[in-house]
Amino acid sequence: MLPSSLREKDGLARPGLYLRFKTRRYLVLAVIAFAVVTLFGRAFLAWFGTVPRVFRDAYPPPLPPPPAITSPLPPLYENYHHTELSLPQHHWDQRRPSKDEKFLFVAGHSRGCGWGNAMQELLLNAYMAYKAGRSLVFANYTWNDNGSPYSEYNGKKIPSLIPYSTIIQGPIVGAPFPYGDPTPLAVHRDYFDHVCPKKLTFIREDISEIIDFKNSAKEIIDGWHDKLADVDEPCVQTAPNSGQIFNFDVFGDPRAMIDIWPELSASPILTHFGWSPLVELAFDTNRDMFLPSLSIAPYLTSLPYTTNADRYAVIPGLMALHLRRGDFAGHCEHLAGYPAEYNAFSSFPDLPDPFVPPRGPDADENRAAFRAHCYPTLEQIVTRVRELRRTHAARGLRKLYIMTNADEGFLRELREALWRDQDWQMISSSRDLVLNWEQRHVAQAVDMLVGQRAQVFVGNGWSTLTSNVVMMRMANRIRPDSTRFW
């Protein structure tokens, strides 16, 4: 016979078993009670829409949402500006130039344009001062010079002025010329204004009237050289309102650089051109995207400065693509209306992809053919990369870097399409760069450095960013068949 209770079995009490039974029963009752209260509470809230005051007062009020995190203001690069003013060739105790000081300042330099345009102009102005035997007077990369520290671009604040030394290094921004070169060192505009309260001013038309081919960089520089050869005045500038000496008409003409290139490419302006320590640090930080895996190459920022060609050698296995999107959708349509040829620095005769603008009877077909080179579709990009990867210059490619201002959605689709089409060890883009607060505003220069060093570079012949990359590759004698266009 089974025991009639948990207390009785063979006439013995079982207290432990009895307590476990009681505990289990109370636990079941507690769970039931909790469920009833929860259901009652939900029903109460559903009926009355709020918690009764008596219950609200028993708990502290909820915390307010955290404040929105606003983006910091852009950097103003005060330390770089201070360093430029502290160059040893600046003799601030002087009130007038010494007998061996002669200056040239292009006061009508570009404003409100992209870094690619400003860089091309700065290089030619520097070469013009070099040929004239005068100190180049450099200012800032200028968005506007109305006195405001910040400007607006695409709804975002940007620095109005950026010291050039945040982007480049070398003789252009006051570093010494190669040993034995007697050219006087470049100086900052503030020093020029300090020792030159009175200046001899020329206007652009003083020279352009005697030039046969007005877009020829060589004729322009030779004209200014001859004009300045007879000038003893140490303080010379162009009129601020006379505009650029080298403008889009020059840089957009495919013939403009051909005659001057042998001299320009051999000058210290290019042979001793360098990217700034800020830009090189960004490259070093992100070098796993570009260099071969387990590379033992030294960091750029650890090397003493030598020459352009020695410092920025080709990176084996790297292909870099420059894909200009955004405003280029409309710009390409505008260019197709001319129709425009490639920029001057993208038109070297040795390059394998010369562009002849389509001029057939069907305007729509002409524009479509033009867009394939200026604003290619995703499918056209993938096809072109596949085609170029089969060339001899592209042997051994493993990493792909995309220099672009495209949005994240387009980049995601492109990356997936490139992965499916070809075998890559890594595909990365400008959007993947890890940049600090100051580097974000000079990021285009980081892309230029990568494109300059790529084993194979594919660019947009109408973009000044591409043109500058091509110029550096040609100056460093990188094989021409590795520089391609869409």
Side-chain angles (χ1 to χ4, degrees):
M1 182 177 181
L2 293 174
S4 59
S5 76
L6 293 176
R7 280 183 172 272
E8 299 176 9
K9 183 180 179 184
D10 300 329
L12 299 175
R14 300 289 302 277
L17 190 57
Y18 176 76
L19 287 175
R20 288 199 298 272
F21 173 79
K22 296 283 286 184
T23 301
R24 189 176 302 165
R25 184 170 61 183
Y26 290 147
L27 180 60
V28 171
L29 291 174
V31 171
I32 294 172
F34 177 80
V36 171
V37 170
T38 301
L39 291 173
F40 175 80
R42 290 183 177 178
F44 192 98
L45 286 175
W47 182 266
F48 293 102
T50 185
V51 177
R53 182 179 183 84
V54 64
F55 294 120
R56 290 204 309 269
D57 293 343
Y59 297 94
L63 293 174
I69 299 175
T70 57
S71 299
L73 288 172
L76 296 179
Y77 303 102
E78 295 93 338
N79 290 340
Y80 291 86
H81 184 72
H82 176 75
T83 300
E84 290 178 356
L85 296 181
S86 301
L87 289 168
Q89 58 265 38
H90 292 158
H91 305 296
W92 293 99
D93 55 330
Q94 296 179 187
R95 292 295 178 183
R96 61 181 60 86
S98 62
K99 63 179 181 179
D100 59 342
E101 287 184 309
K102 285 189 173 183
F103 308 104
L104 176 62
F105 178 44
V106 180
H109 62 82
S110 61
R111 292 159 174 81
C113 65
W115 163 239
N117 301 70
M119 175 179 167
Q120 290 184 349
E121 180 197 14
L122 179 65
L123 287 169
L124 268 293
N125 288 343
Y127 183 65
M128 184 171 68
Y130 172 77
K131 289 282 288 184
R134 287 177 172 261
S135 291
L136 170 72
V137 178
F138 63 92
N140 300 284
Y141 170 48
T142 304
W143 192 257
N144 77 61
D145 52 6
N146 63 2
S148 170
Y150 303 108
S151 300
E152 294 281 337
Y153 179 71
N154 282 345
K156 297 181 179 179
K157 286 189 179 298
I158 60 172
S160 294
L161 304 172
I162 298 180
Y164 275 122
S165 60
T166 65
I167 308 170
I168 63 175
Q169 61 178 313
I172 298 176
V173 286
F177 282 89
Y179 179 77
D181 192 315
T183 307
L185 304 183
V187 300
H188 193 276
R189 176 186 179 175
D190 289 359
Y191 177 72
F192 174 67
D193 289 338
H194 173 74
V195 296
C196 293
K198 294 183 179 179
K199 306 173 180 70
L200 177 62
T201 300
F202 293 104
I203 61 173
R204 187 171 181 265
E205 287 71 25
D206 289 333
I207 304 302
S208 61
E209 291 177 356
I210 62 174
I211 296 175
D212 294 329
F213 173 29
K214 296 191 182 335
N215 291 345
S216 167
K218 180 173 174 55
E219 289 196 28
I220 293 172
I221 286 177
D222 288 347
W224 279 96
H225 174 269
D226 295 343
K227 181 79 172 181
L228 295 172
D230 298 327
V231 175
D232 292 327
E233 169 62 44
C235 304
V236 175
Q237 70 174 13
T238 66
N241 59 356
S242 69
Q244 303 165 234
I245 293 176
F246 302 97
N247 56 21
F248 178 75
D249 291 334
V250 177
F251 294 119
D253 192 315
R255 300 177 297 159
M257 298 298 161
I258 293 176
D259 291 341
I260 201 176
W261 182 245
E263 300 173 10
L264 174 61
S265 61
S267 75
I269 302 304
L270 284 185
T271 62
H272 285 68
F273 172 92
W275 299 102
S276 73
L278 184 65
V279 171
E280 289 188 348
L281 178 61
F283 179 92
D284 285 346
T285 302
N286 296 276
R287 62 186 247 150
D288 287 346
M289 295 184 191
F290 324 124
L291 270 61
S293 300
L294 304 177
S295 172
I296 59 173
Y299 288 89
L300 286 177
T301 46
S302 70
L303 297 172
Y305 187 76
T306 52
T307 66
N308 193 340
D310 290 341
R311 193 171 188 82
Y312 307 122
V314 168
I315 299 172
L318 175 65
M319 181 183 227
L321 315 177
H322 180 210
L323 282 173
R324 183 68 186 269
R325 311 305 279 185
D327 61 335
F328 247 53
H331 189 54
C332 287
E333 291 295 321
H334 174 69
L335 293 171
Y338 282 14
E341 297 178 90
Y342 281 166
N343 290 350
F345 282 124
S346 294
S347 300
F348 292 107
D350 293 339
L351 296 176
D353 296 321
F355 177 73
V356 178
R359 302 179 187 274
D362 190 321
D364 290 338
E365 287 186 4
N366 292 344
R367 288 181 180 275
F370 195 96
R371 281 195 303 271
H373 299 277
C374 190
Y375 205 83
T377 64
L378 187 148
E379 292 78 12
Q380 288 170 335
I381 295 167
V382 173
T383 300
R384 182 64 169 154
V385 170
R386 183 194 314 137
E387 173 188 337
L388 293 178
R389 202 171 179 190
R390 294 172 181 156
T391 63
H392 181 72
R395 295 178 64 182
L397 293 181
R398 298 298 299 146
K399 292 189 176 183
L400 182 65
Y401 179 73
I402 305 169
M403 307 155 51
T404 189
N405 62 338
D407 61 60
E408 293 284 1
F410 176 84
L411 273 178
R412 185 168 52 251
E413 291 182 28
L414 175 60
R415 192 176 311 196
E416 291 173 356
L418 290 167
W419 276 121
R420 289 193 301 267
D421 190 72
Q422 297 279 315
D423 178 34
W424 296 98
Q425 187 181 86
M426 176 182 287
I427 300 177
S428 57
S429 76
S430 309
R431 302 284 186 186
D432 300 314
L433 292 174
V434 177
L435 303 173
N436 67 28
W437 178 56
E438 291 182 324
Q439 290 164 345
R440 286 199 295 270
H441 294 274
V442 297
Q444 280 191 342
V446 182
D447 275 354
M448 288 187 191
L449 170 53
V450 178
Q452 174 182 344
R453 299 189 63 186
Q455 178 180 326
V456 175
F457 171 73
V458 188
N460 184 317
W462 295 275
S463 164
T464 53
L465 189 154
T466 281
S467 298
N468 289 332
V469 170
V470 175
M471 172 179 58
M472 292 299 171
R473 292 175 68 86
M474 295 296 290
N476 289 351
R477 306 295 190 266
I478 296 174
R479 52 187 298 172
D481 64 340
S482 69
T483 300
R484 310 300 297 258
F485 299 97
W486 296 111

